[in-house]
Amino acid sequence: LNASICSALAETYHQLAFDTLCEQVRKSVRSDPGNKWMFEQSNPSAHPFRIRSECIRRGDVPLVFRERTPVRLDLTHSCWSDIFFLAMDYPEAARVINISVDLGVHNAESGEAEVKAPIEVYVRVIPKSVIRISSIDLEVSKEISDLADLFNFGNDYLSLLKAGIIVSGLIPPSFEELQDSVTLQEILQSVLGQGLGLELVTNVNNIPRGSRLAVSTNLLASIIPLLMRLTSQTANLTGSITNDERRLVASRAILGEWLGGSGGGWQDSGGIWPGIKEIKGRLAKPSDPEYNISRGALLPDHTILEGDKLSADAAQKLCQSIVLLHGGMAQDVGPILEMVTEKYLLRLTKEFEARKLSQQIYNEIKAALCAGDIKKLAQLTTKHWNGPLKAIIPWATNEFTERIIARASAAFGVRYWGFLMLGGMSGGGMAMFCDPEHKAEFKAGILDIMRKTKNELQTWLPFAIDPQVYDFEINHNGTVADAVPAFPHKYYQQLNSHIQRASAGSESAAYTEQVDQYLVNECAAYYLGTTQKESTTTAAVSSETHTGKEEDQSLSKDLQTGFDRQQHEAFREQIKRGVIGLAKNRLPEATVIEDVQDIDVIHCDVPVSPPREADKVVSVGEQAIRNGEVAALSLAAGVGTRWTQGAAVIKALNPFIMLGDRHRSFLDIQIAKTVLTQQKYNAKIPHVITTGFLTHEPIEQYVSQLQKSDSAGVLPPIYLSRGVTVHHRLIPTVRDLQFLWQEVSNEKLTPIKQKVRDMQRNGLTKWAQAKGEGSDYTDNTAVQRFNPPGHWYEVPNAMKNGVLGRLLTDHPTVKTLMLHNIDTLGVSVDPAALGRHLESKNVLTFEVVPRRCNDKGGGLARVNGSVRMLEGLAQPHEENELALRYYNSNTTWIQIDALLSYFALTRDDIINNVENEAKIMDAIRIVALHLPTYATIKEVKYRWGPGCEDVYPVTQFEKLWSDMSALQDLQCGFMVVPRFRGQQLKDKSELDSWANDGSKDFVENLCSFP
């Protein structure tokens, strides 16, 4: 067995374990007695429920029913113990305390907030056999007239509303498979009556994504009981629901999340219960559908802490001491939950001991809460945060969170009591405890601290909104319903906008038909009966992609300088005509691609025999370092779209790992390695950092701060090589999207997740067609519309911008450059690797590592008999890459003078770059003509509302450095290095394995942080 096969087997078993767990939960959800019937319906007339007669609209009096639901705030989830996979296997340890709360955004100026139920759902019967759904907070409306649209969770922003309609039992999920024989109108007629339909309107009051308050789950859990009330599935139409009904709603909310391809933990629907409650997993009984399948039942037991279970003033003290926050960060908690599950399944000693400690702390938290000792409670949640939570998942914290905690503690001293992580991770929704006598001062102070800290870190971390502070109250009713005279005022504002647009002819005929006369009349009647002081029309609403508030589209001076419009228009035309594209990246089918032979590589991954030969090689490298002949070059011009899922965050500055006493960024680590090598060999190693229009100014500021604080003078000479060349991204063609999704293999998903992914891809295809395939991508900020042209340009940029010339002037002994990606964390100026390169007499020596199954993007191959680096984009068949033993680390040793000679340049030309500008530019263009330009698809985030963001595919063009190895008249070599040295971190989901397989320790031992 080799490393590639072992890694493939490990990944297969890993995925199989998760698929098995998912199937177990799916079966339990579907087998729940309250849900099972919904998968057995096949005849609309046999639908078991009918609309309550009192819900039918009579005359001109609209009957609107409203459900108001709090969200949940968890005091502890015992280290994510409510994740279904954990709770159903280890129910004894699945224990949560959470609180149902009403919220209002704290107004820093007035010091007041309107605290109310954060989730409101409205429904009424309408005189048209359709389902009309609207989200007031998202400003999206849609009319559904067929089952295909209702069961499509990927073509709009209303998937939660659709899921709620389905799992409420109004339109049971079994009808999804019967679309050819059953219509939506037939089902509505059976349940509601001839010619009738429903209008469902939701409103989430000022809670953005990332709040960690389970807003999505509780929105779903608010839709479900309201529709159950209308269809006689609950005892009462209004008021509260019974505990058994709450359990049924919770079960259906879980079903709704799984139908939509998501799923968190069972505590998330806690908002439908009132007050403060303890939620505990329970062992499955013979009467449970999970019996003999899992140890635990799907649903936990809820115990409301009241009466003699809780001191009389505990709830009041809690409200007086907790300050609820949103730090502004929007992060995907999914990878965190997967890491938690993986560590639980592996029973890793350190993490399992932390889980046992968490159970002890849980008992103390409950005791302190019940006794009303909130200061003690704050100490315990802080202990839980700094202990078990970080021990199991170090990535639950981040630099922003640590800074605001430290600053709050320093600013308020004994008035600051402690920290509370909410939900899966910190940075978004969080809470702090303070002395209640100073709460008003604390709220103002912590808001100021968060805003200032966000401004410091906004290019380092993915912020979606400005930080917020909430006022809150404990909700002692849970979810409740009542009858109201109308929908909220904002609904009619948006409806009025629809009507005005339709009457002005700005909408399509199909959409105009949706604005029925009865809605026009109702909107007019509403405005006649109310004041219109707020009746300014809101932004246009549609079920199409939001464009939001666009920034000025004009290019900055820097972008104008680096943007070649003529070249761009040529690329764009070629994309539209299919001359270039993803399929065109590939070499011809007849190309012979083989794995390399042992004689094709230099081995630096195994001990050299005899030892004296190894000592000689190392000595050559050490002497070159001592002589000042080596410089490092870190590629940091891009933003690392995979690392942040498309957010415009500078990867080089992202403080992703705690090393030493604080979080460190990729750039911190690269500089610290150079510092240690300098100290070890008593030499100066110049360090070039390449930047682009996206990254230059923040990196420049960061380096300037480092240099100002370098009182000991240990930093290497740092040079910033600014690249100004930019390309404009394009809307991808459907041809390229289909190639990406169909020709390139994708992870096999569960049937439900696969269905959701297919729907999302169908929506993206329609988006590309609507926007114009191959047209300029304009619906975003400048940093998302443009991209650097690929890392091939970074060395030529250093030639023409004067940085390489300054380096050679300042350090004339430098002969060798070590080029590497900013995320290749194990690479350093290693004397053994350097010595082997120097002895090889190569102009370029590329480092490669043994391949793992998830390594995608290129490898070392024999291409028609010639050894070269072969990009994954260029391989005729994807399976070709898997047959290559060695993966491209993109680290390259460069002999400067020999490379300049290949460009027909000299040191003097580069040192005097201003007077030789034309010569240098011509030389770069000539070499560039011999290298391919690839069309690639990347993901970018588009933020269009408070914490709301979408991810879109965009086409961009790149030239890649490793293609230099294909130039026949350039002497290149290839060196196999240990994986610890060449491994790259491209995705945050890789962090946990990187930290636990020895890579983190290896990197830390290479560093000396200034």
Side-chain angles (χ1 to χ4, degrees):
L1 291 179
N2 61 31
S4 298
I5 293 174
C6 289
S7 67
L9 287 171
E11 181 62 25
T12 300
Y13 281 113
H14 174 271
Q15 192 58 51
L16 181 61
F18 276 85
D19 288 348
T20 301
L21 291 170
C22 287
E23 182 63 16
Q24 175 181 302
V25 175
R26 189 186 71 85
K27 284 183 177 179
S28 295
V29 170
R30 292 172 65 113
S31 301
D32 185 275
N35 298 335
K36 190 174 181 181
W37 70 271
M38 292 191 289
F39 295 91
E40 300 171 347
Q41 294 297 303
S42 60
N43 186 348
S45 62
H47 197 296
F49 298 108
R50 299 292 183 272
I51 188 80
R52 293 179 189 263
S53 59
E54 58 266 44
C55 298
I56 303 296
R57 176 177 177 143
R58 288 178 173 80
D60 294 329
V61 180
L63 296 175
V64 178
F65 295 91
R66 174 181 63 181
E67 190 89 20
R68 289 177 293 169
T69 306
V71 290
R72 67 103 180 99
L73 184 161
D74 55 319
L75 290 177
T76 176
H77 49 55
S78 302
C79 293
W80 305 274
S81 68
D82 64 310
I83 298 174
F84 295 110
F85 305 146
L86 276 66
M88 294 177 72
D89 186 67
Y90 191 16
E92 301 92 337
R95 301 192 294 174
V96 172
I97 295 175
N98 77 23
I99 311 168
S100 295
V101 296
D102 295 336
L103 296 177
V105 177
H106 179 72
N107 187 311
E109 284 70 34
S110 67
E112 299 176 354
E114 182 185 4
V115 176
K116 60 180 180 179
I119 296 170
E120 297 174 329
V121 180
Y122 300 80
V123 70
R124 65 175 173 187
V125 177
I126 58 175
K128 186 178 182 180
S129 190
V130 296
I131 297 176
R132 192 190 307 278
I133 53 179
S134 300
S135 168
I136 294 175
D137 54 290
L138 297 182
E139 299 186 358
V140 184
S141 297
K142 188 170 196 178
E143 188 171 282
I144 299 172
S145 57
D146 59 64
L147 291 173
D149 195 358
L150 179 64
F151 284 98
N152 190 331
F153 299 122
N155 67 346
D156 52 47
Y157 296 98
L158 300 168
S159 58
L160 271 178
L161 280 69
K162 292 177 177 180
I165 291 166
I166 294 165
V167 299
S168 71
L170 176 66
I171 311 292
S174 59
F175 286 113
E176 181 180 11
E177 306 300 326
L178 302 172
Q179 296 177 34
D180 293 337
S181 57
V182 176
T183 67
L184 175 63
Q185 286 67 33
E186 290 174 319
I187 304 171
L188 292 175
Q189 179 176 333
S190 178
V191 178
L192 305 178
Q194 181 69 36
L196 298 179
L198 276 184
E199 182 166 20
L200 181 72
V201 177
T202 64
N203 190 30
V204 176
N205 296 308
N206 295 317
I207 307 180
R209 289 183 183 180
S211 68
R212 307 297 172 220
L213 299 171
V215 174
S216 296
T217 304
N218 283 289
L219 174 58
L220 191 57
S222 187
I223 295 169
I224 294 167
L226 184 57
L227 295 179
M228 288 173 61
R229 294 173 191 272
L230 260 66
T231 51
S232 307
Q233 298 181 60
T234 60
N236 300 311
L237 177 59
T238 58
S240 297
I241 54 177
T242 67
N243 194 59
D244 286 343
E245 289 168 349
R246 291 190 188 106
R247 291 183 63 81
L248 179 57
V249 170
S251 173
R252 292 189 179 178
I254 294 169
L255 174 60
E257 289 193 311
W258 281 78
L259 285 177
S262 64
W266 46 234
Q267 73 138 326
D268 287 350
S269 57
I272 60 177
W273 272 266
I276 305 172
K277 57 260 180 213
E278 179 180 35
I279 314 174
K280 299 171 69 174
R282 65 176 178 86
L283 291 167
K285 299 179 293 188
S287 58
D288 292 321
E290 301 86 5
Y291 191 69
N292 286 333
I293 297 176
S294 63
R295 294 184 66 251
L298 174 70
L299 286 178
D301 289 329
H302 293 68
T303 301
I304 299 173
L305 299 179
E306 57 185 1
D308 59 358
K309 297 185 179 70
L310 193 71
S311 77
D313 57 356
Q316 182 181 359
K317 286 182 176 180
L318 200 62
C319 289
Q320 290 172 343
S321 295
I322 289 183
V323 177
L324 192 56
L325 317 170
H326 194 307
M329 293 180 66
Q331 304 171 95
D332 180 11
V333 76
I336 296 289
L337 303 183
E338 184 167 326
M339 291 175 195
V340 171
T341 305
E342 182 179 288
K343 290 186 174 184
Y344 170 76
L345 293 174
L346 292 173
R347 302 296 199 273
L348 298 174
T349 302
K350 174 186 172 184
E351 286 77 5
F352 214 76
E353 289 301 315
R355 190 165 292 282
K356 289 194 288 187
L357 176 59
S358 175
Q359 292 299 304
Q360 298 174 20
I361 296 175
Y362 176 91
N363 294 330
E364 297 177 59
I365 285 175
K366 181 181 175 183
L369 171 67
C370 292
D373 189 345
I374 307 305
K375 190 170 185 178
K376 177 67 172 177
L377 173 65
Q379 294 169 353
L380 290 166
T381 60
T382 305
K383 179 181 178 182
H384 196 234
W385 162 248
N386 287 320
L389 288 171
K390 290 182 183 178
I392 294 176
I393 301 294
W395 329 113
T397 188
N398 53 68
E399 178 70 4
F400 173 76
T401 302
E402 296 299 331
R403 284 196 188 188
I404 65 169
I405 291 174
R407 290 171 179 180
S409 178
F412 293 98
V414 295
R415 295 167 293 169
Y416 167 77
W417 285 1
F419 177 77
L420 172 63
M421 184 186 87
L422 302 179
M425 63 196 306
S426 68
M430 305 175 283
M432 290 184 176
F433 294 84
C434 70
D435 184 333
E437 293 186 5
H438 299 275
K439 187 174 182 179
E441 177 190 355
F442 189 90
K443 285 195 290 189
I446 193 61
L447 181 60
D448 184 60
I449 287 171
M450 288 196 298
R451 286 175 174 172
K452 289 179 178 177
T453 307
K454 183 240 181 183
N455 289 338
E456 294 169 2
L457 303 176
Q458 59 187 349
T459 59
W460 305 7
L461 294 168
F463 290 94
I465 62 167
D466 287 329
Q468 294 179 346
V469 173
Y470 297 99
D471 290 338
F472 80 95
E473 296 172 358
I474 297 176
N475 181 303
H476 294 285
N477 299 311
T479 189
V480 295
D482 58 358
V484 293
F487 290 138
H489 177 72
K490 194 172 181 181
Y491 166 83
Y492 294 98
Q493 289 182 312
Q494 294 176 8
L495 177 60
N496 189 46
S497 174
H498 280 298
I499 294 168
Q500 290 180 1
R501 290 169 63 196
S503 63
S506 61
E507 297 290 342
S508 67
Y511 187 82
T512 304
E513 290 174 2
Q514 295 180 16
V515 185
D516 297 296
Q517 189 59 46
Y518 87 91
L519 287 176
V520 176
N521 295 340
E522 180 174 299
C523 191
Y526 179 85
Y527 273 95
L528 285 173
T530 60
T531 61
Q532 298 191 31
K533 62 181 179 180
E534 299 177 1
S535 64
T536 325
T537 338
T538 61
V541 182
S542 76
S543 59
E544 300 299 323
T545 303
H546 275 246
T547 57
K549 209 171 187 178
E550 297 293 343
E551 67 164 15
D552 178 44
Q553 300 290 313
S554 62
L555 299 178
S556 69
K557 182 178 179 181
D558 286 342
L559 292 182
Q560 290 178 19
T561 302
F563 179 58
D564 186 333
R565 182 166 294 280
Q566 185 176 356
Q567 182 190 58
H568 170 72
E569 290 175 354
F571 279 151
R572 185 175 59 198
E573 184 60 26
Q574 289 176 317
I575 277 283
K576 289 181 177 181
R577 292 192 291 113
V579 176
I580 58 177
L582 266 62
K584 299 295 184 180
N585 291 335
R586 294 187 166 185
L587 294 174
E589 286 278 343
T591 306
V592 178
I593 298 174
E594 302 169 297
D595 193 18
V596 294
Q597 301 173 13
D598 288 341
I599 60 172
D600 296 329
V601 297
I602 306 166
H603 276 281
C604 197
D605 59 334
V606 292
V608 174
S609 182
R612 283 178 298 179
E613 183 67 24
D615 293 341
K616 176 185 174 184
V617 170
V618 172
S619 178
V620 169
E622 289 180 331
Q623 192 59 47
I625 297 171
R626 290 191 179 99
N627 291 344
E629 297 176 6
V630 188
L633 188 150
S634 300
L635 302 174
V639 293
T641 51
R642 281 175 58 190
W643 186 252
T644 55
Q645 290 79 51
V649 171
I650 298 172
K651 185 175 183 180
L653 300 181
N654 182 251
F656 71 100
I657 181 69
M658 183 73 78
L659 292 177
D661 59 348
R662 66 177 180 86
H663 279 88
R664 308 289 182 176
S665 68
F666 290 92
L667 186 55
D668 286 333
I669 293 171
Q670 299 298 353
I671 292 175
K673 288 182 296 183
T674 304
V675 169
L676 183 62
T677 307
Q678 286 189 152
Q679 293 170 343
K680 184 175 181 180
Y681 294 103
N682 191 28
K684 284 295 182 183
I685 301 176
H687 199 131
V688 180
I689 302 163
T690 69
T691 66
F693 80 99
L694 299 171
T695 65
H696 181 78
E697 290 185 5
I699 290 178
E700 184 178 46
Q701 293 170 6
Y702 187 74
V703 169
S704 176
Q705 292 172 0
L706 282 180
Q707 291 170 329
K708 287 178 181 176
S709 60
D710 182 29
S711 57
V714 299
L715 285 176
I718 297 176
Y719 298 82
L720 298 187
S721 176
R722 182 172 192 167
V724 296
T725 305
V726 295
H727 288 169
H728 198 306
R729 286 167 166 157
L730 303 177
I731 303 293
T733 63
V734 172
R735 176 182 60 253
D736 280 345
L737 288 174
Q738 290 175 344
F739 183 88
L740 178 69
W741 297 332
Q742 296 172 13
E743 296 298 320
V744 179
S745 66
N746 290 288
E747 176 189 2
K748 185 179 179 182
L749 302 178
T750 61
I752 288 176
K753 289 185 176 181
Q754 183 64 47
K755 170 192 160 187
V756 173
R757 183 164 73 180
D758 290 344
M759 291 174 176
Q760 291 170 340
R761 288 177 173 178
N762 184 55
L764 289 172
T765 299
K766 292 180 178 178
W767 167 78
Q769 291 170 328
K771 288 293 182 181
E773 299 175 60
S775 61
D776 291 350
Y777 175 64
T778 58
D779 292 342
N780 215 320
T781 59
V783 295
Q784 295 285 38
R785 301 197 310 271
F786 294 87
N787 66 281
H791 43 58
W792 179 81
Y793 287 93
E794 302 309 326
V795 173
N797 277 338
M799 294 179 187
K800 66 184 182 182
N801 65 18
V803 168
L804 183 58
R806 289 201 304 275
L807 185 152
L808 295 176
T809 300
D810 297 343
H811 306 276
T813 56
V814 169
K815 300 176 183 178
T816 306
L817 270 178
M818 185 193 72
L819 174 151
H820 64 91
N821 285 351
I822 195 72
D823 56 18
T824 309
L825 293 175
V827 70
S828 65
V829 179
D830 175 64
L834 173 59
R836 283 174 173 80
H837 162 68
L838 292 174
E839 289 203 330
S840 72
K841 307 300 182 182
N842 292 321
V843 179
L844 304 177
T845 300
F846 294 85
E847 293 189 6
V848 296
V849 295
R851 180 181 296 279
R852 298 290 186 269
C853 69
N854 288 327
D855 290 337
K856 300 291 177 64
L860 184 61
R862 279 178 170 255
V863 181
N864 292 332
S866 297
V867 181
R868 56 167 288 191
M869 302 301 301
L870 183 61
E871 287 293 334
L873 294 165
Q875 303 197 25
H877 301 284
E878 191 183 7
E879 55 268 25
N880 293 138
E881 185 173 2
L882 299 176
L884 305 179
R885 281 179 292 166
Y886 300 120
Y887 177 66
N888 180 15
S889 75
N890 207 45
T891 299
T892 312
W893 295 95
I894 303 170
Q895 286 309 108
I896 296 173
D897 292 295
L899 182 65
L900 291 176
S901 178
Y902 184 81
F903 276 78
L905 297 170
T906 66
R907 279 192 177 223
D908 286 342
D909 293 331
I910 299 303
I911 290 172
N912 301 298
N913 70 300
V914 175
E915 58 193 69
N916 293 299
E917 180 180 2
K919 181 179 179 181
I920 295 171
M921 292 298 292
D922 287 342
I924 292 170
R925 289 191 188 102
I926 290 169
V927 176
L929 288 173
H930 293 86
L931 299 171
T933 296
Y934 298 105
T936 66
I937 289 184
K938 301 285 187 177
E939 291 184 337
V940 296
K941 279 187 177 178
Y942 174 53
R943 291 181 175 139
W944 51 270
C948 298
E949 54 191 19
D950 295 319
V951 177
Y952 288 103
V954 292
T955 297
Q956 63 186 48
F957 307 103
E958 299 177 346
K959 285 187 183 292
L960 303 179
W961 174 255
S962 63
D963 282 322
M964 291 288 286
S965 65
L967 299 174
Q968 295 297 314
D969 50 349
L970 182 65
Q971 184 175 337
C972 298
F974 308 94
M975 185 191 306
V976 182
V977 299
R979 189 168 178 84
F980 281 168
R981 174 176 171 85
Q983 183 180 9
Q984 302 170 18
L985 272 181
K986 296 296 185 186
D987 194 293
K988 286 186 177 179
S989 63
E990 301 166 352
L991 271 172
D992 219 48
S993 59
W994 176 83
N996 291 299
D997 68 3
S999 299
K1000 173 177 175 286
D1001 293 338
F1002 176 82
V1003 170
E1004 191 164 14
N1005 288 332
L1006 297 174
C1007 296
S1008 176
F1009 293 103

